Amino acid sequence: MKSKHRLVWMKWHAYLACFFLPLALLYTLTGTLYMLDIHGGNRDEIQIELTHVQHWPENEMAAYQLASERLPDIYGNISGKYFRFDGGHSWYSFNREVLLLTEKKTLEIHVHGLWKKLIMIHKGHAHIGFWLVGIALGFSLLFSLLSGVVLAYSNPRYRPFANRCMALGSLLLLILYLAPIHQSAL
């Protein structure tokens, strides 16, 4: 590779690294916290008793209607991804979770705290902007790794060591994939 082309690769590598470093740090920190089972907490939790409800809804629309009627105005409309589970209904979003719990006969609002919101970004529950930037980060990381490989293979002095590193990385991936290690609780 000519030195002019190598300089272009290095510039793009450097600029993308500078641009994506804050997001990479966020994803590294939140991923590490999540793997250590630190999910963050709620800033506020509100419980509203619904003991007078005669017929508990079975489907999303009926549950949404009941929860919306009882949700205090300060929380706005119910939004987020809907989940049905044995104990009731849930609408989960970046800022909060609204739960309609059949067994407890309550409507609960869990307002997420800062750490939980950061975990939500990592898990893809934030708005579409974080999705798009996260995908761009993935492609940037791929470009960064590929540019490192291109630079390593463009210099004959580095090729033998680059080959050994590539083989070692591939072998480690294969060993980890095939290893009969079961995940255990920490």
Side-chain angles (χ1 to χ4, degrees):
M1 179 181 285
K2 295 180 182 178
S3 62
K4 184 172 90 173
H5 292 113
R6 186 177 301 140
L7 185 60
V8 170
W9 273 101
M10 290 169 59
K11 281 183 180 179
W12 274 103
H13 179 84
Y15 295 148
L16 286 173
C18 291
F19 181 80
F20 283 108
L21 180 63
L23 189 62
L25 289 172
L26 172 72
Y27 277 100
T28 301
L29 174 66
T30 55
T32 301
L33 290 172
Y34 193 74
M35 287 191 323
L36 294 173
D37 219 15
I38 301 171
H39 298 219
N42 295 319
R43 182 173 44 100
D44 201 7
E45 292 186 12
I46 295 90
Q47 248 186 25
I48 301 168
E49 297 291 327
L50 301 176
T51 53
H52 63 282
V53 174
Q54 301 274 334
H55 301 285
W56 282 89
E58 293 294 323
N59 62 42
E60 179 184 0
M61 291 304 294
Y64 180 86
Q65 184 176 352
L66 176 61
S68 293
E69 290 170 358
R70 304 299 196 282
L71 187 69
D73 290 336
I74 62 168
Y75 295 107
N77 294 328
I78 294 174
S79 61
K81 294 181 181 180
Y82 170 77
F83 296 97
R84 172 83 167 108
F85 58 99
D86 287 340
H89 307 268
S90 169
W91 294 268
Y92 206 78
S93 68
F94 177 67
N95 291 312
R96 68 167 188 237
E97 179 178 20
V98 176
L99 295 149
L100 185 60
L101 301 173
T102 308
E103 292 176 14
K104 291 172 68 176
K105 295 196 181 296
T106 59
L107 175 67
E108 294 185 5
I109 301 106
H110 299 176
V111 180
H112 300 153
L114 174 63
W115 285 111
K116 193 166 193 174
K117 285 183 179 182
L118 293 177
I119 297 290
M120 299 293 283
I121 291 169
H122 187 96
K123 291 173 61 179
H125 291 293
H127 60 76
I128 190 74
F130 279 107
W131 279 39
L132 296 175
V133 174
I135 291 169
L137 170 65
F139 281 111
S140 169
L141 180 59
L142 180 62
F143 174 80
S144 180
L145 294 171
L146 287 174
S147 67
V149 169
V150 166
L151 291 173
Y153 280 100
S154 68
N155 189 326
R157 284 188 319 210
Y158 300 136
R159 270 188 213 138
F161 191 68
N163 283 334
R164 287 192 290 273
C165 288
M166 188 77 76
L168 186 60
S170 299
L171 181 63
L172 177 63
L173 180 63
L174 184 63
I175 289 169
L176 289 174
Y177 181 78
L178 297 174
I181 299 172
H182 301 286
Q183 185 175 351
S184 62
L186 294 176

